[in-house]
Amino acid sequence: MGRGFKLEDTRNIGIMAHIDAGKTTSTERILFYTGVTYKIGSVDEGTATMDWMEQERERGITITSAATTASWDRFGKKYRVNIIDTPGHVDFTVEVERSLRVLDGAVCVFDSVAGVQPQSETVWRQADKYRVPRICFVNKMDRMGADFDHVIRTIRARLGAHPVPLQFPLGREDNFIGVIDFIEQKVVVWLEETLGAKFEIFEVEKLWDKAFVDSRPDVAAALKGAAIDKKFYDDHRNKVIEYIAEHDDELIDKYLNGETLTIDEMRKSIRKSTLLLKIVPVLAGSAFKNKGIQPLLDAVVDYLPSPIDVPPVEGTNPETDEAELRRASDDQPFSALAFKIMSDPFVGHLTYIRVYSGVLKSGSYVLNSGKGTRERISRLLQMHANKREEIEDVYAGDICACVGLKSVNTGDTLCDEQKPIILESIDFPAPVISVAIEPKTKADQDKLGVAMQRLAQEDPTFRVSTEPDTGQTLISGMGELHLEIIVDRMLREYNVQANVGRPQVAYRETIRKKAVAEGKYIKQTGGKGQYGHCKIELHPIPSSSHESMKEMSTDDLDALAKEVVGGGSAGKWKFDKEHRFLFIDKIVGGSIPREFIAPIEAGIREALDNGILAGFPTVDVAVVLIDGSYHDVDSNEMAFKIAGSMAYKEACARAKAVLLEPIMKVEVVVPEEYMAAVFGDLNARRSAIQGTENRAGSNVIRVEVPLAQMFGYATDLRSRTQGRATFTMHFSHYAELPSALAEEVIKKHRGEK
Ligand code: GDP
């Protein structure tokens, strides 16, 4: 069939926002204007095109990240725009992470009244981590209290970014009618508020032409309402151009010499600086009133990267363990990442993939390189907002869905069988909350097994485990809502009837003191014996590095390893992200043969999973293997594995183990009259107030609260404020559980045995 569009004319983008900022509405409008959907869904009525699942419609939130293919014409060229849907709700940050992994650029939507909200902050940091270039869309300019400059200031102050307004809204609140474009010096005015409304474009000079303004009450009201005059415009525009020039070595001289920069030069420069993450272009609009969407799409094409503007993707060759790169090009070997698995009512199992290199044809075979399995691609689908299109092949840089891949999980790499590579997988956070599930009948028990396996395949932050003591099934996830939705799907899609327990906090364990211990597993009475012996030092990892450890580079980890061993060479070390566990091998002179080091590490790692206090996973520890001995005949891997686990448990017992609990960042927006009630209640929940501020007539309380204290908070808050307050919550960090409470948790754990 051949590639229907050029690689450099492709944009893989995500739209990110705090819940309610207008992500769904903006996406809908984008899909309308790119021509793929003609019957617009409205979030308020619960018919949004991108929100597929029933629960999403009922709750009015977007959970899944379906990818939708659209196109946009710019200067006579057709661009392919793939929109990867990212969730707005805080319980689903992993969905954001996973989409960030596969998109090249993002549009961040802000509410013109609220500015930067906590979830946008979290998402922003994640986008920083993946080095995703962004543009910002200040939405809801029609709202009471809309303040474009305020949003720009909060982007600068709270996100530490360098926002460059490329437009200024023409009017605000009821008088918001369009945008003034600083680059082209043009004004766009939408003449109605309906979908597909007509708009006019004219030179900015007309705004200062009294006769014109007098003839146009809409323009006059907009200028007056936002206090815009020529001086205001010139000052703003000059600042913007200066800012663009300052970030561009090639333009700065020209600018300083007083020469005029051409529109083309400015556009190129903005593109370059945006791709280098030096600046963030900002636009304004009202998705709901259908204003500002077309210029936003122009900006997506003008300023966000194509797959060839981002660095080649990195991976490991599973045969040689060597690092390899794949460039975005059709003539490279095929490689793709499975980033989303969904059950689709029409075609069943759908696996969304992002192709990084090469071409994939339907009917061909690929390698699932992490698992070493071969998969047949029976059908390829391009997903549009309102239809699915069967395609013959998919090319580098594009996104599509595959039908019929049974054993592929989210995060798996698919590649050319002859050129295996494992792309860096997606980093998933560990769950913070769990509930027990008890099937009602034997038949439900069987169905539960199938349901859990499928759901876990789709969602890697959702885990299923069995309580070793009670045999109960436990499901764990990222928040109460996350688990509620899973339980809901279990019921609706898999028809499993079950009793659901109360949510429980997923605690962690760590240590506070250094300890040294020995593990000896020696049995030498007749016949072939057992001999494993090792000596280890157990260190707490300095708390300052905890939160960022997942993102630490090899150099940082090396420095940490050196710190742990107290200077000098750190020897050989290995790092386990999930447990934030550093294993350092300081064996010299062969006191333990090489082949027994890995079993020792494996033994310790297993022991980490079941902490000594209450059986929770242990995190943030470093183990230094310092000595040991072996026996020529009796030593084997198993003996060293047991010795490692014995040494670790022994050391832990002396290392002042403590329990850690998840602490959540919570933001409550509450009218003045309920402030005292909300404060009083938060105080009773072991919270730490981080600050309060006034935002458009409402008070915003920012607070950190242990997750254990937040169960059922939605209901409590509603009843205390007659439903007038709202809150958002997301995971912040783990902190030590106060000892009295820790006692209770430990007692409960022991009591259940
Ligand atoms: P999401 O949670 O970020 O996906 O936000 P939605 O798109 O669902 O929008 C949240 C609410 O804000 C809905 O009630 C929308 O109708 C409303 N909304 C979205 N965009 C605008 C806008 O430009 N102006 C106004 N006034 N309301 C908007």
Side-chain angles (χ1 to χ4, degrees), residues 205-486:
E205 291 305 319
K206 272 186 123 170
L207 290 180
W208 330 128
D209 172 353
K210 192 168 173 310
F212 172 74
V213 175
D214 283 346
S215 73
R216 288 290 297 265
D218 58 337
V219 176
L223 288 174
K224 187 152 177 277
I228 299 171
D229 60 16
K230 180 158 168 42
K231 180 171 182 315
F232 177 94
Y233 169 79
D234 287 341
D235 287 352
H236 264 68
R237 178 167 195 268
N238 289 339
K239 262 200 254 165
V240 167
I241 292 170
E242 182 181 340
Y243 207 81
I244 294 169
E246 269 175 6
H247 284 85
D248 189 334
D249 296 341
E250 286 173 35
L251 282 191
I252 186 71
D253 287 342
K254 193 168 176 194
Y255 174 78
L256 291 177
N257 288 336
E259 287 177 58
T260 312
L261 309 182
T262 66
I263 295 180
D264 209 40
E265 277 173 333
M266 285 192 274
R267 268 206 212 101
K268 282 211 179 93
S269 172
I270 297 167
R271 177 172 183 82
K272 198 166 64 180
S273 298
T274 307
L275 298 191
L276 289 170
L277 304 177
K278 286 197 210 163
I279 62 165
V280 193
V282 187
L283 294 95
S286 163
F288 189 64
K289 302 267 169 93
N290 299 295
K291 292 173 186 166
I293 302 298
Q294 299 94 331
L296 176 63
L297 277 159
D298 286 346
V300 164
V301 162
D302 288 349
Y303 306 129
L304 290 181
S306 79
I308 41 179
D309 294 318
V310 296
V313 63
E314 284 176 42
T316 322
N317 181 327
E319 284 164 6
T320 62
D321 251 357
E322 303 269 311
E324 283 186 18
L325 292 179
R326 291 283 184 271
R327 275 182 305 108
S329 163
D330 294 345
D331 50 28
Q332 288 261 300
F334 168 72
S335 72
L337 191 76
F339 66 95
K340 178 84 195 173
I341 289 163
M342 284 177 71
S343 309
D344 178 272
F346 303 104
V347 288
H349 210 66
L350 271 185
T351 309
Y352 284 85
I353 61 166
R354 151 92 197 235
V355 180
Y356 284 95
S357 58
V359 181
L360 176 66
K361 290 194 180 317
S362 84
S364 62
Y365 284 87
V366 293
L367 178 71
N368 180 355
S369 49
K371 296 205 175 79
T373 52
R374 206 171 174 235
E375 295 270 359
R376 182 169 184 270
I377 306 289
S378 63
R379 289 165 70 197
L380 292 173
L381 297 176
Q382 196 92 65
M383 309 301 277
H384 301 273
N386 58 347
K387 66 169 202 279
R388 54 202 69 214
E389 177 193 357
E390 183 134 5
I391 52 173
E392 288 297 310
D393 26 38
V394 56
Y395 294 82
D398 210 5
I399 284 170
C400 77
C402 307
V403 181
L405 301 181
K406 285 279 153 30
S407 69
V408 176
N409 283 4
T410 302
D412 285 356
T413 302
L414 300 180
C415 62
D416 185 331
E417 291 181 275
Q418 307 306 322
K419 300 271 185 216
I421 187 166
I422 300 177
L423 303 177
E424 201 187 315
S425 188
I426 305 163
D427 214 1
F428 296 112
V432 292
I433 181 173
S434 52
V435 296
I437 301 275
E438 208 181 297
K440 289 200 171 135
T441 65
K442 175 74 182 62
D444 287 319
Q445 173 84 51
D446 298 341
K447 278 189 282 181
L448 180 74
V450 177
M452 290 299 137
Q453 194 208 337
R454 292 257 173 84
L455 291 168
Q457 200 181 17
E458 283 179 27
D459 177 356
T461 55
F462 160 66
R463 311 263 170 95
V464 190
S465 56
T466 313
E467 270 279 333
D469 306 315
T470 59
Q472 222 175 18
T473 302
L474 267 189
I475 62 172
S476 315
M478 300 311 297
E480 259 181 305
L481 180 60
H482 186 203
L483 294 184
E484 266 174 41
I485 285 170
I486 301 249

Side-chain angles (χ1 to χ4, degrees), residues 17-26 43-44 60-62 88 139-143 285-289:
H18 186 92
I19 187 158
D20 256 13
K23 186 181 57 93
T24 311
T25 313
S26 308
V43 185
D44 299 317
I61 54 172
T62 316
N139 187 34
K140 303 198 186 186
M141 277 310 305
D142 60 307
R143 257 189 84 186
S286 163
F288 189 64
K289 302 267 169 93

Side-chain angles (χ1 to χ4, degrees), residues 384-617:
H384 301 273
N386 58 347
K387 66 169 202 279
R388 54 202 69 214
E389 177 193 357
E390 183 134 5
I391 52 173
E392 288 297 310
D393 26 38
V394 56
Y395 294 82
D398 210 5
I399 284 170
C400 77
C402 307
V403 181
L405 301 181
K406 285 279 153 30
S407 69
V408 176
N409 283 4
T410 302
D412 285 356
T413 302
L414 300 180
C415 62
D416 185 331
E417 291 181 275
Q418 307 306 322
K419 300 271 185 216
I421 187 166
I422 300 177
L423 303 177
E424 201 187 315
S425 188
I426 305 163
D427 214 1
F428 296 112
V432 292
I433 181 173
S434 52
V435 296
I437 301 275
E438 208 181 297
K440 289 200 171 135
T441 65
K442 175 74 182 62
D444 287 319
Q445 173 84 51
D446 298 341
K447 278 189 282 181
L448 180 74
V450 177
M452 290 299 137
Q453 194 208 337
R454 292 257 173 84
L455 291 168
Q457 200 181 17
E458 283 179 27
D459 177 356
T461 55
F462 160 66
R463 311 263 170 95
V464 190
S465 56
T466 313
E467 270 279 333
D469 306 315
T470 59
Q472 222 175 18
T473 302
L474 267 189
I475 62 172
S476 315
M478 300 311 297
E480 259 181 305
L481 180 60
H482 186 203
L483 294 184
E484 266 174 41
I485 285 170
I486 301 249
V487 168
D488 202 35
R489 289 189 59 191
M490 184 178 85
L491 203 127
R492 282 175 203 248
E493 290 171 32
Y494 299 93
N495 202 9
V496 182
Q497 300 296 323
N499 294 319
V500 180
R502 271 169 50 84
Q504 295 159 18
V505 176
Y507 295 100
R508 297 278 185 275
E509 301 190 9
T510 191
I511 55 159
R512 289 290 182 236
K513 260 176 45 186
K514 179 183 153 184
V516 182
E518 249 176 296
K520 276 188 187 160
Y521 185 67
I522 301 174
K523 289 211 164 80
Q524 292 178 307
T525 42
K528 185 166 163 29
Q530 299 282 349
Y531 191 107
H533 170 216
C534 66
K535 192 169 171 188
I536 63 165
E537 279 175 16
L538 182 63
H539 295 256
I541 285 178
S543 63
S544 59
S545 52
H546 284 190
E547 291 323 312
S548 51
M549 269 182 81
K550 277 196 149 187
E551 281 127 60
M552 276 167 96
S553 67
T554 310
D555 285 350
D556 295 340
L557 285 166
D558 198 51
L560 179 67
K562 284 199 175 111
E563 193 184 321
V564 168
V565 298
S569 158
K572 276 198 181 145
W573 55 262
K574 253 172 107 177
F575 183 63
D576 165 357
K577 274 188 186 174
E578 168 135 7
H579 290 101
R580 301 191 302 228
F581 164 56
L582 188 63
F583 179 79
I584 305 170
D585 168 14
K586 286 279 279 181
I587 291 295
V588 281
S591 57
I592 303 175
R594 287 262 74 88
E595 68 264 33
F596 297 135
I597 307 281
I600 294 175
E601 190 200 334
I604 296 174
R605 210 186 278 237
E606 262 181 43
L608 279 176
D609 265 330
N610 287 297
I612 58 159
L613 287 180
F616 292 103

Side-chain angles (χ1 to χ4, degrees), residues 100-277:
L100 281 171
R101 176 72 173 72
V102 295
L103 51 76
D104 300 319
V107 175
C108 295
V109 178
F110 296 97
D111 179 325
S112 69
V113 181
V116 174
Q117 291 166 283
Q119 179 69 358
S120 7
E121 214 173 318
T122 311
V123 172
W124 194 273
R125 308 265 171 255
Q126 287 169 316
D128 281 342
K129 174 172 138 192
Y130 288 95
R131 298 194 57 77
V132 173
R134 272 147 274 179
I135 56 184
C136 296
F137 182 63
V138 179
N139 187 34
K140 303 198 186 186
M141 277 310 305
D142 60 307
R143 257 189 84 186
M144 273 284 272
D147 187 343
F148 184 71
D149 276 337
H150 167 74
V151 181
I152 302 263
R153 280 195 301 273
T154 59
I155 292 174
R156 195 175 294 122
R158 289 186 67 171
L159 304 177
H162 301 291
V164 184
L166 303 185
Q167 307 173 334
F168 198 83
L170 180 56
R172 56 203 275 187
E173 303 178 349
D174 281 349
N175 295 322
F176 173 66
I177 55 169
V179 294
I180 308 175
D181 186 320
F182 290 129
I183 307 303
E184 309 203 20
Q185 309 212 60
K186 293 223 164 81
V187 178
V188 189
V189 172
W190 282 267
L191 299 171
E192 294 130 39
E193 298 189 335
T194 46
L195 268 174
K198 284 205 199 76
F199 56 89
E200 57 182 341
I201 303 180
F202 52 82
E203 299 296 325
V204 81
E205 291 305 319
K206 272 186 123 170
L207 290 180
W208 330 128
D209 172 353
K210 192 168 173 310
F212 172 74
V213 175
D214 283 346
S215 73
R216 288 290 297 265
D218 58 337
V219 176
L223 288 174
K224 187 152 177 277
I228 299 171
D229 60 16
K230 180 158 168 42
K231 180 171 182 315
F232 177 94
Y233 169 79
D234 287 341
D235 287 352
H236 264 68
R237 178 167 195 268
N238 289 339
K239 262 200 254 165
V240 167
I241 292 170
E242 182 181 340
Y243 207 81
I244 294 169
E246 269 175 6
H247 284 85
D248 189 334
D249 296 341
E250 286 173 35
L251 282 191
I252 186 71
D253 287 342
K254 193 168 176 194
Y255 174 78
L256 291 177
N257 288 336
E259 287 177 58
T260 312
L261 309 182
T262 66
I263 295 180
D264 209 40
E265 277 173 333
M266 285 192 274
R267 268 206 212 101
K268 282 211 179 93
S269 172
I270 297 167
R271 177 172 183 82
K272 198 166 64 180
S273 298
T274 307
L275 298 191
L276 289 170
L277 304 177

